Amino acid sequence: MHLAYPAVLAALLFCTGLYGVLARRNAILVLMSVELMLNAVNLNLVAFDVWLRDSLHAGQALTLFTIAIAAAEIGIGLAIVLMVYRNRGTADVDRLRDTAEGHEPDSANPATGAAA
């Protein structure tokens, strides 16, 4: 097997995931795109491990660690998204820029910013 085939596939997967992170507004789709990028990295690790014929199989071991970290990341990420959705009513990334609860700039008194 040539190394170019899995490397090109991994590059396509990574570019698709990068597009999903940059173009999507839904937080769950952004998390799925990050997972796609991590899987592209895993594919590269396993392909280079097979190509180098390493007796320690360091690429495959690192892939297992990456899968474990990705599982923890998606669990924590989904928990955060669900809590934000419960509190704010949306999972739109663009609407979540202001993280302070109930904080809205007051235009009534521009000198102090406090309500009159």
Side-chain angles (χ1 to χ4, degrees):
M1 175 177 76
H2 295 281
L3 183 62
Y5 298 135
V8 167
L9 179 62
L12 290 174
L13 284 174
F14 192 85
C15 289
T16 304
L18 185 64
Y19 173 74
V21 167
L22 295 177
R24 298 292 179 190
R25 301 201 191 284
N26 191 351
I28 294 176
L29 292 177
V30 170
L31 286 173
M32 289 174 59
S33 297
V34 169
E35 290 295 320
L36 192 62
M37 292 186 336
L38 285 172
N39 285 329
V41 170
N42 289 339
L43 180 61
N44 265 335
L45 285 171
V46 171
F48 277 100
D49 184 52
V50 169
W51 183 64
L52 292 175
R53 300 177 200 266
D54 186 16
S55 62
L56 295 176
H57 298 292
Q60 293 178 16
L62 191 57
T63 299
L64 288 176
F65 285 120
T66 308
I67 290 170
I69 290 171
E73 174 257 334
I74 199 68
I76 292 171
L78 281 176
I80 291 171
V81 168
L82 284 175
M83 288 305 297
V84 166
Y85 183 76
R86 284 182 187 169
N87 289 335
R88 300 282 178 113
T90 183
D92 191 4
V93 176
D94 289 338
R95 293 185 183 175
L96 300 176
R97 293 188 190 262
D98 184 24
T99 57
E101 287 198 34
H103 177 267
E104 293 184 20
D106 188 19
S107 60
N109 192 355
T112 62

